[in-house]
Every structure is written in structure tokens, then in C-alpha cells.
Amino acid sequence: MCGIVGYTGTDTAKDILLAGLKRLEYRGYDSAGVALERTDPAGETHLDVIRRVGKVAGLESELDHVDDESTCGIGHTRWATHGRPSVANAHPHACCGGNIAVVHNGIIENFAELRDELTARGHVFGSETDTEVLAHLVEEAYAQTHELVAAVRKACERVVGAYGLAAVCADEPGVIAVARKDSPIVIGRGEHGSYVASDIIALIDATRDVVVLEDGQFARLAPEGITYTDAQGAPIEPEITHIDWDIDMAEKGGYPDFMLKEICEQPRVVRDTLVGRLAPSGELDIDELGLTFEELDLIDRVYVIACGTSYHAGLVAKNLIEGWARIPCEVEAASEFRYRNPIITPSTLVVAVSQSGETADTLAAIRDARIKGAKVFGITNVVGSPVARESDGVIYTKANKEIAVASTKSFIGQIVSLTLLAMLLGQVKGKLTTGQVRMLFRELGDTAAQIQYILDSQREAVHEAALACKDAPSALFVGRGMGAAISYEGALKLKEVSYLHAEAYAAGEMKHGPIALIDPGFPVIAVTTKSPVYDKVVSNLKECEARGAKIIALATEGDEDIKQIADHVIYIPAVRDAFSAITASVPLQLLARDVAVMRGCDVDQPRNLAKSVTVE
Ligand code: AGP
């Protein structure tokens, strides 16, 4: 999934495009490029397309040689889906005449047949990408419409798939045409012109009043203003949303990396996600629920569907939904769920968890579940995202923009939101009294201060543990119950940011095979917080210690016994076991981040990954 940006106005376009692309780099960094309009001494406008493999910084040095006169252009940062990272496959893609250029985020599913058709009509392709067909389709349509937005609309009629695209045309200087279907597009007017981007963060410096373009809508950006039309070309007045994020949230706020900044934002995320969720009556207030209590009371099966870290939030939710509401709950990898024939009835609730709200497998699983008659509830961090739009109800995790590829604050926001959902189901099913809900809600709120305490008091202990792991070839994470659920997340975090191989196991499973991996010095990271199964975890740890493992234990403050078997102990405040996933996740996030820093990895943009995965 890529990032696109566009600007037309009175300022130097290349500077604005570069600044926007840097903010969008979390979406993909295989290549970057711009198309800038240039007017020659004869008054003729031409398009200069400049592209580079790799990060935006590389493109920036390329643009140092380009003069500043252009005031209109489009830009792109890529995460390769069709065609390997190369200059030829980098966006923008131009048409045969070179007078039209397009940048695109999404996937053109029928690009092969369109390509054959266009080739048969004499078009010459220079890349392996799906996107290039758009440039040639717009070129053909423009020959008939002589108006860029109309040409883009016509081209989109031929396309099957997802697109957030922007196009420029040398014959229509200063105009940018924009279209959207299933990929995010935001548009805004600033003091010096009109802006478009895949994400608010790329234009927040210029304006805080944006239009989130809807599927099937089009826009014409010009220096003097913006007009919007629907799929038939009729004018429309989309809603303007005011964004109250501060720039700092967009920048690192003084932290060495976004991952650490976002880990340290988690106390706020807990508080913000709980704001206004408990009515004075003790009733939980989830107004975006989209389902009546009567409908909820009929629910007899829950599936949590998600990918990666969001899937691990589901593992936590399973314990709570079954524990508090006594409803059977399955946690499913969306990529599997969509292709197996799960048992779904109208009294099935499918909870789709997705930070980005645009993960392809999760979206497809939602659509499949809806067709089969399930009620769908979304938990996402992105307002107006496809997951939100395609669910009956939604809870927004108030994590704000998460920039580091490794999800941290959104994970905590997801667990808090799923905990609220489990409490609500327990309340509706009459398993939890209002008094119990009030008490649980209060304790859930207390986790914000407990996270802050861990951030303030355990950084040194985590650092020592990281030093103990950083040179190991591999590591194991173990726990039981809630501890098992977050061990999977601990292992994923370490893998994805430090490239150190790590696996997680329910501690009781170790002796059925994985313990064979342990030799002297092998790091075992164990979640041994006080819980009904604490003694069981400790005895499993003793089996590992007996084989010479280096034990790093996450323990409850005041637990001195654990020091007898652990080489390193990271303490977290005493908390109800149901909420331990929230607090115990934080040291695991910090551990992964510190090991990655020690191993010289790019903490915020790990290799081979992207922030949201909009392809299968
Ligand atoms: C987690 O750190 C990764 N970024 C990845 O596993 C992520 O959780 C997964 O791709 C799901 O993304 P989503 O929550 O945006 O759907």
C-alpha cells in the first residue's frame, strides 16, 4: 500500500510534495517519485517525471537538480505489489504521449486484460505494474473528453479493484484530478493552494479542515479552489472534517523514534479510549454500537477476525468474552477465515479488529461474514476506514495516528476496546451486574497510571534484559492464560523490529517439544504475573532453567521468589489478571524496541514490512 500526495497553488510544488511523502513513508518505501509541471519559454507546459528506488531521501537529492518554478505536481511513495522495486515500476506512471501522469494507491485487479486491450490498440507499456494501465486509459479518455476529471472518471469505469489516485495533464496546467474507491484519500484547501494525500498527516501543515473522499467520488483541484463530483459527474458538497491533531503527534515529539514515542503515549490512549464510556447509571455507553441490546442478547457465538498484532488482541478478548459473557469465542486469522467455511448464523457476532482499518484479508473476511448473515462489529483506529464503513457498529481506538510500523499504542487501544465489548456482552447477558461493571471499568482505567509507572520505573530493567537477548540467535516467549496471549505479541514485536527469531508458546506446551530448543544461555521471556496459574508457569520455567535457559521474567511487584529462577526480572504493578495483558505488554514492547536499537535496526520502518497491508 502506497502513499500519494498532490499540490497545486502558488508555492514550490516539489518542496510540498517531498514534505508530504516523508510523512507518508510509513506506508511503503520501495521507491518514490514525482511529476512536476514545467512551462517552457514558449509557454508550453511539460511534465517532468522524476523517480528513484528506495526512500524519499533519495528522491530528494535527485530533485536538488530540479529548479523550483513548478507550482503543480503529484508524488508517490511505493510499497511494491505488482512488479519489483525499480525505477520503471516506480510511480508516477505516464501515458504514451508523456502529457498525462498518474499516481495510485491500491490494486487494479483487471489490469492484465486492460493491458492487453491497450497494447492491442498501440499503447506501449514501460513497467510491470498494474497502475500503468490507468495512465493509458486516461490518455484514451482525454482524447474524447478534453477534460482531465472527466477522463479520469471514464477511465475508472473500466477498472476493477481499489484505487486512490491523482492525475495531472500538461494540456490542463495547474489541475489535479482525484478519484477514490476503497483506498483512502483526503483533500484540503490551504492558504497557498489545494492539497490531496492518502493521509491527513501529509497535509496537516497546510490545513486542518479536510474532506475524506468517499468511494465513487471525484475531485478537481486547482490553485483557486476544489470542486467535487459524483460518479455521474454531478457536483457534490462533501462534508468537511476538522482535525485537532497537533503537528507534534505527527512528528517524533523529541523521542528518538516513533515506536518509543507511541509506547509512551499508551496511558493517554487508555484514558481517551475510555472517555464517556460509562454512564452515571453504570451502563456502558458505546453509542457507535450499531446493534441493540436485544440483538446483542441473541448473540450465541463470537468470532474475532484480524491479522498480526490485531489478532493477538483477539486472543486477549477471547478470555474476557468467554469469562464475562459466557459466549463461545473463536479468534481467527482473517486470511484463513475468509477461505474456510466457518459456521455463521444470524446470531453470530464477528468482531473485526484492524488498526489501519484497511487490511485486505480482514476486509474480505468481513464481507464474507456479512454475506453469511453475521452481525459485524469493527474495532479500528482510523475514522471512516473501510473496516468502519463496512461494519454494523464500530469502536474507534483513540490511539491517534500510529506511524511506527510495529503496532503498540493501537494494540493497547484495541485491548481496551475489546474489554469494553466483553463487559457490555457480560452486562447484556446478565452475567455482570452494574456494580461489577462499574468496578471493572474503574480498574481498567487504573491501567493508564500503571503503564505510566512501568514506563517511569522499569526502563533500566528492560534495557538490561535487552542486553541479555540482543546477540541470541533465537528466543522463546511463554505464559499461561492472559500471559500466553501476550507472549505471542511479545514474540511478534521482537521478530518484526529486531529480526531476532522468536516464538511464543503456552508454557504448558514447552515440554511437548519446544524445550528441546533450549541450551545454555537460550533466552526465555516469561509472563509470570500473579494469576490463578502462576505456580504452573513457575514450574514450567524451572524446567527451562534446568536446561540452562537465560530467564527473563515479567513479574508482579513484590514477587521476590521469582528471583530464584530468573536472571532478569521486570516488575509490573499488581493488577487484575483480566487486565494484565494491558500492563504486561508494555515491557515486551520496550524490550523489542531496545533490542532492535542495540542491533542497529530501523525501529520505525523494519525491512520487508509496511504499516497496513491492503493486498492478500
Ligand atoms: C504489527 O506490528 C504489524 N504492523 C502487523 O502485524 C499488523 O498488526 C497487521 O498487519 C494488521 O494490521 P491492522 O491492524 O492494520 O489490520
Side-chain angles (χ1 to χ4, degrees):
M1 151 283 355
C2 311
I4 74 170
V5 65
Y7 168 74
T8 178
T10 53
D11 281 353
T12 303
K14 76 170 183 178
D15 299 342
I16 291 170
L17 298 178
L18 280 172
L21 288 176
K22 283 182 187 153
R23 291 257 177 90
L24 293 174
E25 213 167 26
Y26 72 88
R27 304 176 67 84
Y29 29 88
D30 291 321
S31 62
V34 295
L36 295 167
E37 290 184 353
R38 173 177 48 76
T39 308
D40 67 20
E44 281 283 304
T45 300
H46 306 272
L47 292 184
D48 291 337
V49 175
I50 301 122
R51 307 180 287 179
R52 271 288 291 271
V53 172
K55 295 197 171 178
V56 175
L59 176 68
E60 186 165 27
S61 47
E62 196 87 21
L63 289 176
D64 287 346
H65 320 298
V66 173
D67 60 33
D68 295 352
E69 61 143 295
S70 174
T71 57
C72 176
I74 53 177
H76 185 272
T77 180
R78 182 175 188 235
W79 189 62
T81 56
H82 293 73
R84 61 191 159 68
S86 68
V87 170
N89 290 336
H91 299 208
H93 288 288
C95 64
C96 298
N99 61 327
I100 289 170
V102 173
V103 291
H104 166 235
N105 168 33
I107 289 218
I108 309 296
E109 291 174 20
N110 62 337
F111 82 98
E113 83 204 47
L114 289 171
R115 189 186 174 103
D116 297 346
E117 207 187 292
L118 289 157
T119 306
R121 291 202 292 272
H123 289 266
V124 179
F125 282 75
S127 79
E128 303 157 298
T129 68
D130 54 331
T131 298
E132 192 183 349
V133 292
L134 290 168
H136 298 283
L137 284 173
V138 175
E139 178 180 35
E140 283 202 341
Y142 193 80
Q144 295 155 21
T145 64
H146 303 292
E147 198 265 318
L148 184 58
V149 176
V152 166
R153 186 177 302 112
K154 222 169 162 20
C156 289
E157 285 163 9
R158 298 296 321 283
V159 166
V160 177
Y163 51 81
L165 70 89
V168 287
C169 175
D171 309 335
E172 225 169 298
V175 170
I176 300 177
V178 176
R180 172 202 174 136
K181 180 178 169 299
D182 276 346
S183 281
I185 286 278
V186 288
I187 292 171
R189 277 286 295 160
E191 220 177 307
H192 305 290
S194 304
Y195 304 75
V196 58
S198 299
D199 192 305
I200 289 157
I201 208 166
L203 42 77
I204 202 169
D205 297 353
T207 179
R208 290 176 170 283
D209 298 310
V210 300
V211 166
V212 178
L213 206 63
E214 293 290 335
D215 286 352
Q217 295 182 342
F218 296 81
R220 179 184 186 281
L221 278 62
E224 66 282 358
I226 304 169
T227 54
Y228 299 91
T229 47
D230 63 15
Q232 285 67 47
I236 52 172
E237 287 297 324
E239 188 200 331
I240 294 187
T241 307
H242 181 73
I243 304 296
D244 55 14
W245 291 349
D246 58 36
I247 292 283
D248 164 51
M249 285 216 189
E251 302 294 346
K252 291 186 181 140
Y255 288 90
D257 48 72
F258 280 113
M259 186 175 179
L260 183 59
K261 175 177 180 282
E262 290 161 359
I263 290 172
C264 295
E265 282 180 40
Q266 297 182 118
R268 176 196 56 74
V269 173
V270 172
R271 281 189 287 272
D272 287 2
T273 305
L274 290 176
V275 167
R277 297 293 187 194
L278 188 70
S281 62
E283 299 279 319
L284 283 167
D285 181 355
I286 301 180
D287 47 15
E288 325 90 315
L289 191 60
L291 298 164
T292 64
F293 279 18
E294 291 65 37
E295 285 173 311
L296 279 181
D297 195 19
L298 292 173
I299 296 296
D300 60 9
R301 179 197 300 269
V302 175
Y303 288 108
V304 179
I305 55 168
C307 306
T309 286
S310 300
Y311 172 88
H312 296 147
L315 295 177
V316 174
K318 175 182 172 65
N319 291 307
L320 301 174
I321 292 171
E322 293 190 344
W324 288 337
R326 306 308 293 148
I327 307 172
C329 176
E330 304 303 321
V331 185
E332 303 264 351
S335 54
E336 287 296 310
F337 186 81
R338 59 180 297 191
Y339 290 114
R340 77 173 185 81
N341 186 13
I343 299 159
I344 289 180
T345 68
S347 57
T348 300
L349 177 66
V350 166
V351 180
V353 185
S354 174
Q355 185 284 129
S356 61
E358 57 181 11
T359 298
D361 284 320
T362 307
L363 268 178
I366 287 176
R367 291 168 186 154
D368 189 56
R370 291 185 76 81
I371 291 164
K372 292 189 170 100
K375 305 272 185 308
V376 175
F377 193 71
I379 304 236
T380 184
N381 193 42
V382 179
V383 176
S385 61
V387 165
R389 288 207 312 278
E390 300 194 27
S391 299
D392 298 303
V394 62
I395 294 184
Y396 288 116
T397 53
K398 299 287 173 32
N400 270 329
K401 180 77 217 157
E402 188 170 63
I403 294 171
V405 167
S407 304
T408 53
K409 61 177 181 174
S410 65
F411 178 60
I412 294 299
Q414 288 167 352
I415 297 179
V416 172
S417 305
L418 287 161
T419 306
L420 285 174
L421 180 65
M423 286 159 70
L424 180 71
L425 290 169
Q427 197 170 42
V428 167
K429 291 281 180 180
K431 308 290 183 195
L432 289 178
T433 64
T434 309
Q436 287 171 317
V437 166
R438 221 189 270 283
M439 174 194 64
L440 290 171
F441 189 89
R442 194 181 54 255
E443 287 181 26
L444 181 57
D446 295 344
T447 60
Q450 288 155 350
I451 292 174
Q452 192 59 56
Y453 174 79
I454 294 166
L455 294 170
D456 298 341
S457 66
Q458 296 303 305
R459 290 298 312 282
E460 193 41 44
V462 170
H463 191 75
E464 291 304 312
L467 283 172
C469 298
K470 71 178 179 62
D471 301 322
S474 181
L476 279 173
F477 287 73
V478 298
R480 282 181 181 248
M482 280 298 184
I486 55 161
S487 290
Y488 291 100
E489 178 56 10
L492 175 62
K493 283 281 123 7
L494 190 63
K495 276 185 277 210
E496 69 176 318
V497 292
S498 76
Y499 320 144
L500 194 163
H501 175 257
E503 286 187 66
Y505 276 92
E509 278 304 293
M510 287 291 287
K511 51 188 173 297
H512 302 289
I515 198 165
L517 289 170
I518 295 181
D519 55 13
F522 189 105
V524 172
I525 295 109
V527 182
T528 51
T529 48
K530 291 294 178 187
S531 75
V533 287
Y534 170 80
D535 296 338
K536 305 290 179 209
V537 182
V538 170
S539 67
N540 295 135
L541 271 191
K542 285 188 174 144
E543 292 152 6
C544 299
E545 185 210 11
R547 274 88 184 167
K550 188 185 295 177
I551 308 275
I552 294 159
L554 244 61
T556 301
E557 217 161 35
D559 178 352
E560 293 304 313
D561 299 345
I562 198 75
K563 288 182 180 160
Q564 278 143 40
I565 52 175
D567 303 272
H568 298 272
V569 183
I570 300 163
Y571 282 108
I572 65 172
V575 66
R576 177 187 293 271
D577 184 47
F579 302 143
S580 61
I582 295 173
T583 46
S585 297
V586 177
L588 298 181
Q589 297 164 342
L590 288 169
L591 181 73
R593 183 246 168 213
D594 285 5
V595 171
V597 170
M598 291 169 185
R599 290 161 68 101
C601 301
D602 184 337
V603 171
D604 288 340
Q605 293 179 347
R607 68 187 184 201
N608 306 342
L609 294 180
K611 184 62 185 169
S612 54
V613 182
T614 53
V615 292
E616 246 195 273

